[in-house]
Amino acid sequence: MLKIGETPQKFWVVGKILETRAAELPDHPILYWSGEKYTYSQLNKSANQVARGFIDNGIQHSDRVAVMMENSPAYIGVWFGLAKLGAIEVPINTAYKGELLAHIINSSAANIVVIDYEFLQSFESILHSCPSITCIVVNSCTEDEAIPANKDGIKYKHLSLIASGKDENIEHDILPEDIACVMFTSGTTGPSKGVIINNAFELSFAVIFNEIVALKPSDITYNFLPFFHIAGKYIFLGTMFVNGRMVLRPRFSANEFWNDIRTFRATVTVAAGGICQMIYSRTPTSQDSNNPLRMIYSVPNPHDILSEFKNRFGVELTEGYGSTEANIVTYTRLNENTPIGAAGRAAPYYDVRVVDEDDKEVKPGVSGEIVVRPKYPNILMEGYFGLPEKSLKTFKNLWFHSGDRGMMDKDGYLFFLDRMKDAIRRRGENISSFEVERIVGKFPGISEVAAVGVPAEIGEEEVKVVVVCQANSSIKHEDLFEHCIREMPYFMVPRFIEFVNDLPRTATQKVKKNELRDLGITNATWDCEEEGFTITRGGSTNRNL
């Protein structure tokens, strides 16, 4: 078990964690997936084969490799295979397509992409705008999933053929400060930014997660969060740290959740977004408390039903505050009477303050921006990839500026209030209003658009766009909605559309988004769900007649 400030830095290397566990406990079943068990030895050999295959195909230390795959043992092999040779993983949200996908490829300058077969069409549609791509490695599961022949200077290869050689460990000198991952988080005042995560920082997430949930060897974690999110990664890493076991699922299913928990005897899980509200909204049964789950790390806790949730399911909930850039910097402790609504106190590895616009610390009970500073090296992001000026601005006065508004009470408990940044939080996803506005604004006949978040029925927010049409232009809600379906990831598609004559503005002509948020849903707001549309993960819609 790594400990921040105590374990020597040389041990903070992602690829070595799996190698060490495979040497110590080769037959330990670390992973349950699709009815199969996977041991440390199996996963380590798979990662070694991937690493050697990548080396044979010219990938070197510090090369950036984009990965667009669903959760699977194959993804774990790619993740740790890249880590072993010191290449940089660029994980991509599997819902991305079009310009959003091209932006990540071009911003990271990745030459090679590793994808599940189902995403091949999405990539082929953007190749004309991504000149850096020279090779597409496809993870295909059946013989029917044939990959194209090499064309236009781009090579196509099967992952299974690349990763088919020797499975011994490789010898590469990887340092804790070497970049392990560039993870793109939501752009809030512009396009998505790549967070630079070195080896030690990636592992530090798992250390803090384990402390929050008091993870132990007897625990079985239940992980439905994707590996392109940092939480998906730290659940697996944290489970390895204590030699527990992890159940991996491709995504959350409210229908299967409790059945899986009972079947696998899972004891710990992470619930991002409105997951707890979804679980609680299910019809109560006499068996609700008859389950092995002991802990949910909820982001955030469902404060309005917290006591009822705990009593109904017989489970403890804890929460924290953090980000991909800064780690989990505050969290609740089970032995403390945390005020309702607070995200806990500062982790022992960080200084956390609330400051005014001049970066002066405000008094307890006064709101301001949440800023963070680490007490130890390599437990905060290095910056944003390819954006040195943005990185310097974010670390103004040697503090990481979160862009979030919060308040701290006299006892040091932090209350997250809202985002100072212009982002929307929907079902565990951070959505850039900038990206929504840009894509909506491409539709013919639109003059201006403002995207805001409005309260959702089950936690967090829904996306609403307020649209000003060009003179003499007539746009149907349904046509604009279909445009969004074609161009956006499913989670970004606005549920609500409202046409207005003008947008409210300040004296300096900035759009008053606070007014639009406060306005919420009006009689003039078009609701896709009320009109019988369903947004599916595949991006299609079905009209419920």
Side-chain angles (χ1 to χ4, degrees):
M1 176 68 179
L2 301 177
K3 292 188 177 181
I4 296 173
E6 298 181 22
T7 305
Q9 282 286 296
K10 66 179 181 179
F11 294 106
W12 294 77
V13 177
V14 173
K16 292 297 182 183
I17 297 296
L18 182 55
E19 286 184 8
T20 301
R21 292 297 184 268
E24 296 172 344
L25 296 168
D27 298 323
H28 177 75
I30 180 64
L31 180 69
Y32 297 149
W33 165 263
S34 191
E36 300 289 335
K37 294 181 181 180
Y38 292 79
T39 65
Y40 280 135
S41 178
Q42 288 174 303
L43 294 180
N44 188 55
K45 288 179 179 179
S46 174
N48 288 336
Q49 289 179 311
V50 171
R52 290 179 181 276
F54 282 159
I55 291 172
D56 291 343
N57 281 272
I59 298 179
Q60 302 177 6
H61 187 288
S62 299
D63 284 347
R64 291 167 297 284
V65 179
V67 181
M68 192 172 183
M69 300 173 68
E70 299 281 9
N71 283 359
S72 68
Y75 194 141
I76 294 174
V78 172
W79 170 12
F80 283 88
L82 293 172
K84 283 170 175 281
L85 60 89
I88 300 171
E89 177 197 3
V90 183
I92 301 176
N93 190 317
T94 54
Y96 276 15
K97 56 188 174 182
E99 290 187 17
L100 297 179
L101 181 57
H103 166 72
I104 291 180
I105 297 298
N106 292 329
S107 297
S108 65
N111 298 119
I112 296 179
V113 298
V114 184
I115 61 174
D116 285 336
Y117 179 84
E118 64 183 289
F119 306 121
L120 182 58
Q121 185 175 355
S122 294
F123 265 90
E124 292 205 303
S125 69
I126 64 164
L127 288 178
H128 66 281
S129 60
C130 298
S132 68
I133 295 178
T134 59
C135 180
I136 297 179
V137 179
V138 183
N139 177 42
S140 56
C141 301
T142 69
E143 294 181 357
D144 295 334
E145 295 177 341
I147 64 174
N150 296 344
K151 59 182 179 180
D152 300 327
I154 297 174
K155 298 178 181 178
Y156 290 81
K157 300 192 176 185
H158 280 284
L159 178 61
S160 59
L161 295 180
I162 285 181
S164 61
K166 295 181 179 180
D167 59 15
E168 295 89 355
N169 291 332
I170 64 173
E171 294 299 325
H172 269 64
D173 292 327
I174 313 298
L175 301 175
E177 57 268 25
D178 285 346
I179 302 174
C181 176
V182 174
M183 186 170 287
F184 280 76
T185 187
S186 172
T188 53
T189 56
S192 301
K193 301 179 291 296
V195 178
I196 300 174
I197 300 175
N198 66 30
N199 277 259
F201 184 34
E202 184 170 312
L203 295 175
S204 72
F205 277 93
V207 172
I208 296 177
F209 168 68
N210 283 17
E211 293 179 2
I212 294 172
V213 301
L215 207 65
K216 49 188 182 293
S218 60
D219 278 318
I220 300 174
T221 55
Y222 184 73
N223 186 8
F224 51 82
L225 297 174
F227 288 138
F228 58 74
H229 278 181
I230 193 64
K233 291 186 181 297
Y234 68 60
I235 297 171
F236 184 56
L237 292 169
T239 305
M240 285 203 297
F241 284 175
V242 299
N243 294 317
R245 288 165 288 171
M246 186 183 82
V247 179
L248 183 65
R249 285 288 179 260
R251 60 186 59 86
F252 174 75
S253 168
N255 291 330
E256 298 297 328
F257 179 77
W258 285 118
N259 181 58
D260 278 351
I261 294 296
R262 294 184 177 100
T263 298
F264 292 100
R265 307 299 299 168
T267 56
V268 176
T269 193
V270 176
I275 296 296
C276 284
Q277 285 88 346
M278 293 181 196
I279 294 171
Y280 189 78
S281 67
R282 307 287 291 180
T283 303
T285 74
S286 60
Q287 295 298 306
D288 281 347
S289 62
N290 182 21
N291 69 80
L293 198 64
R294 69 171 181 85
M295 175 72 69
I296 298 177
Y297 174 54
S298 179
V299 191
N301 271 340
H303 298 290
D304 53 335
I305 55 169
L306 187 57
S307 296
E308 294 89 342
F309 190 102
K310 290 181 178 181
N311 292 333
R312 176 177 164 185
F313 299 111
V315 63
E316 286 290 343
L317 280 79
T318 184
E319 73 172 301
Y321 165 80
S323 64
T324 306
E325 292 96 330
N327 212 323
I328 308 169
V329 297
T330 74
Y331 55 86
T332 60
R333 278 77 166 174
L334 292 178
N335 60 347
E336 292 184 1
N337 187 21
T338 302
I340 293 294
R345 296 183 293 106
Y349 318 111
Y350 298 91
D351 289 321
V352 181
R353 294 181 182 177
V354 178
V355 301
D356 63 17
E357 60 186 10
D358 296 319
D359 272 3
K360 295 179 180 178
E361 188 171 13
V362 300
K363 295 179 180 180
V366 177
S367 67
E369 184 176 10
I370 302 169
V371 297
V372 179
R373 186 165 64 186
K375 298 180 181 179
Y376 300 92
N378 294 322
I379 59 171
L380 204 77
M381 77 162 183
E382 293 186 14
Y384 294 114
F385 188 81
L387 299 171
E389 293 181 359
K390 178 63 178 177
S391 301
L392 285 173
K393 183 178 179 180
T394 301
F395 285 102
K396 183 177 66 171
N397 293 324
L398 302 182
W399 287 82
F400 168 74
H401 287 62
S402 69
D404 292 333
R405 190 168 67 92
M407 181 271 291
M408 194 172 290
D409 70 10
K410 60 181 178 60
D411 297 315
Y413 289 97
L414 180 71
F415 293 77
F416 169 79
L417 300 178
D418 57 26
R419 282 166 293 280
M420 300 174 71
K421 305 186 263 187
D422 194 10
I424 302 166
R425 182 78 172 176
R426 183 187 193 187
R427 300 188 181 183
E429 294 283 356
N430 287 320
I431 298 172
S432 166
S433 64
F434 171 87
E435 299 282 15
V436 175
E437 291 162 0
R438 183 176 57 80
I439 294 174
V440 172
K442 291 169 57 180
F443 191 82
I446 287 182
S447 175
E448 293 182 289
V449 58
V452 296
V454 294
E457 292 92 344
I458 305 180
E460 297 192 320
E461 299 170 306
E462 294 283 2
V463 181
K464 176 183 177 181
V465 291
V466 184
V467 178
V468 178
C469 297
Q470 297 174 1
N472 301 319
S473 177
S474 178
I475 300 174
K476 293 182 179 180
H477 296 94
E478 292 84 353
D479 292 342
L480 179 56
F481 180 72
E482 292 290 349
H483 164 77
C484 295
I485 287 287
R486 290 191 301 270
E487 298 294 327
M488 296 179 180
Y490 70 97
F491 59 80
M492 187 183 286
V493 175
R495 173 180 171 180
F496 301 109
I497 299 173
E498 184 168 342
F499 294 119
V500 297
N501 293 326
D502 296 290
L503 296 176
R505 296 184 181 278
T506 67
T508 56
Q509 295 304 300
K510 292 182 179 180
V511 175
K512 294 182 179 179
K513 288 199 170 180
N514 285 339
E515 286 191 13
L516 296 177
R517 293 188 190 98
D518 293 340
L519 189 63
I521 306 305
T522 73
N523 292 333
T525 303
W526 182 86
D527 181 356
C528 75
E529 293 188 4
E530 286 189 359
E531 295 299 318
F533 287 90
T534 300
I535 304 171
T536 67
R537 180 174 289 271
S540 62
T541 63
N542 298 309
R543 191 68 181 260
N544 299 325
L545 300 176

